[in-house]
Amino acid sequence: MIIGGGVAGLSAAAALSADAKVMVLEGEESIGFHSSGRSATMLHYALGNPLVRALTLASRGFFDEPPPSFTDVPLGRRMPVLVYARQDELDVLDSLDADIAPFATLERADERVIHELCPVLRLGEGGAIAGLVDRSGIRLDPHALLQGFARQVRRTGGEIVLGARVARINRAGELWNVETERGETFAAPVLVNAAGAWADAVAAIAGVQPLGLTPMRRTIITFDAPDDVDASGWPFAKTVGDELYFAPESGRLFASPMDEVPTDPCDAQPDELEVALAAQRIEERTTMRVNRIAHKWAGLRTFAPDRGPVAGFAPDAPDFFWLAGQGGFGLQTSPVMAQVAASLIQGEPWPSRGVTTEQLAVRRSPSVSR
Ligand SMILES: Cc1cc2nc3c(=O)[nH]c(=O)nc-3n(C[C@H](O)[C@H](O)[C@H](O)COP(=O)(O)OP(=O)(O)OC[C@H]3O[C@@H](n4cnc5c(N)ncnc54)[C@H](O)[C@@H]3O)c2cc1C
């Protein structure tokens, strides 16, 4: 029984459903309503730590070549990633270069290459003077990904129950029993907590010690590209510090000021100050004007205290499995995180692929996880 119909819960359900009877309980009336439906939808290596990069590398084959019958449409399309730096940020760029090099083939970009890739970026003094380019970035299709996992669950006889917000949880004998807000009851021997920003709250109602997760709000805006350019081939362009990213989005551009505002779990709404900051940073870093914001939204990126994802049984409750803390990388790591979860739950050995289960465990020492 999996609580949460976001990418974490659905991917784990799909991985488990080949050998087990699986049920997903989702509080909303649709899957992917919260974080999984509000992301920047990129796969790239400029975010996270070495553990996140290793999980991303191990997952990317799934996006390039999904299992047969998983999806009728591609799970993403290639989009180059350009990380750029000002003169005073060159040290940070060098260190990012060294961090990413084991995972992706990078090119150094000078002002000419930066201009060729993204002609609106301000260059020279106070602007971008150097960059890193990863041509293997992927703009993911989260809808195709979520639907693919959901289809896999249903095809093998699994169930996804929508509108099933879990309100009470208790353990009786060998079973976890749950009751939803509308009074339905369900029982299963193993409970998977994939409730995203609410994972600590779900643990609390089950009497399990919370992880200390922090949901962080992030804002995205979309706006029109300048009239006289075709932006469709532009990269996902990101400042080397966490200040701004933007990329083409269905005929427009999307951008985020990369805000990280600690928030209670909620239906996150964009904050007007962050919306204004996104527009201001676009105008500072590029030659574009944001005359009108076409669309804006916010979502929660939920982190464990050490910012690494968690997949493992709770040490303080039988058969209570945590699958949480996917922060800003939960889509791009979902294929492998789901396999980890399924093999741990089924007691099967985990073929390491550069990551150990100890690195993902609920209680881990800082030295193993990073
Ligand atoms: C602005 C933004 C940009 C991002 N960019 C990227 C990116 O480029 N690449 C990337 O890989 N990731 C990105 N992410 C991160 C990614 O979206 C998340 O890591 C991922 O979606 C987390 O998935 P989840 O299933 O854990 O959470 P969610 O999708 O939030 O799913 C949890 C589900 O649990 C349900 N739930 C909660 N409590 C209960 C309950 N009591 N009963 C029943 N159901 C319950 C909720 O309704 C929710 O649907 C971004 C996120 C944001 C917000």
Side-chain angles (χ1 to χ4, degrees):
M1 182 159 56
I2 298 178
I3 301 181
V7 73
L10 292 171
S11 59
L16 282 162
S17 64
D19 301 310
K21 186 162 164 39
V22 179
M23 172 185 292
V24 179
L25 302 179
E26 167 52 50
E28 302 292 348
E29 295 296 340
S30 59
I31 60 173
F33 179 84
H34 289 286
S35 305
S36 302
R38 304 177 188 208
S39 85
T41 70
M42 282 300 296
L43 179 151
H44 69 101
Y45 297 94
L47 57 83
N49 53 31
L51 171 61
V52 170
R53 292 189 179 107
L55 290 165
T56 304
L57 184 62
S59 293
R60 69 165 301 143
F62 183 95
F63 298 111
D64 286 332
E65 215 170 310
S69 74
F70 184 82
T71 174
D72 300 332
V73 295
L75 291 181
R77 67 184 171 87
R78 279 291 153 93
M79 181 178 280
V81 177
L82 167 66
V83 182
Y84 55 93
R86 293 183 306 240
Q87 178 73 44
D88 60 319
E89 295 169 323
L90 290 181
D91 288 355
V92 192
L93 193 72
D94 287 343
S95 115
L96 185 67
D97 191 350
D99 288 347
I100 299 180
F103 303 95
T105 306
L106 295 173
E107 296 162 32
R108 287 301 283 224
D110 57 13
E111 289 184 38
R112 184 185 56 80
V113 175
I114 293 174
H115 184 73
E116 273 168 19
L117 279 166
C118 190
V120 291
L121 278 175
R122 288 189 197 279
L123 301 170
E125 211 185 320
I129 64 155
L132 293 174
V133 185
D134 171 9
R135 297 196 188 264
S136 70
I138 307 178
R139 185 85 204 272
L140 301 170
D141 179 341
H143 183 73
L145 185 64
L146 291 169
Q147 290 302 332
F149 288 132
R151 215 175 296 125
Q152 232 176 341
V153 173
R154 293 189 179 111
R155 202 183 293 130
T156 48
E159 251 186 288
I160 300 170
V161 189
L162 299 174
R165 180 161 305 281
V166 173
R168 272 167 290 281
I169 304 176
N170 66 67
R171 178 91 178 165
E174 299 286 292
L175 290 179
W176 285 104
N177 299 294
V178 311
E179 187 180 343
T180 66
E181 277 178 0
R182 59 186 186 200
E184 298 150 302
T185 55
F186 302 93
V190 178
L191 184 83
V192 178
N193 180 4
W198 289 266
D200 269 352
V202 162
I205 55 176
V208 175
Q209 196 181 345
L211 293 180
L213 299 167
T214 308
M216 305 268 206
R217 191 185 63 223
R218 176 157 289 180
T219 310
I220 296 191
I221 62 169
T222 69
F223 58 100
D224 291 332
D227 286 341
D228 48 345
V229 294
D230 174 11
S232 59
W234 288 1
F236 176 82
K238 177 187 174 307
T239 52
V240 69
D242 283 351
E243 284 176 41
L244 175 71
Y245 59 64
F246 65 95
E249 156 99 356
S250 337
R252 292 200 167 109
L253 296 169
F254 77 90
S256 172
M258 302 191 68
D259 44 329
E260 272 203 357
V261 182
T263 314
D264 286 336
C266 64
D267 180 2
Q269 297 301 315
D271 177 88
E272 283 312 315
L273 274 177
E274 306 296 347
V275 168
L277 193 59
Q280 183 192 325
R281 289 189 178 162
I282 283 288
E283 296 188 355
E284 279 168 10
R285 294 288 193 148
T286 76
T287 54
M288 295 186 288
R289 305 260 331 142
V290 181
N291 294 321
R292 188 181 68 89
I293 288 162
H295 191 43
K296 57 190 172 185
W297 69 90
L300 300 179
R301 300 154 67 251
T302 297
F303 291 93
D306 67 3
R307 292 179 83 98
V310 179
F313 281 106
D316 57 333
D319 298 322
F320 184 100
F321 192 88
W322 284 95
L323 187 56
Q326 286 87 345
F329 44 81
L331 295 176
Q332 67 184 37
T333 55
S334 58
V336 155
M337 285 296 287
Q339 284 176 26
V340 173
S343 49
L344 289 173
I345 290 168
Q346 291 171 319
E348 286 165 5
W350 156 241
S352 93
R353 295 216 255 163
V355 177
T356 65
T357 52
E358 168 67 359
Q359 288 175 290
L360 301 167
V362 173
R363 294 213 184 118
R364 53 201 180 196
S365 74
S367 57
V368 297
S369 57
R370 300 337 55 197

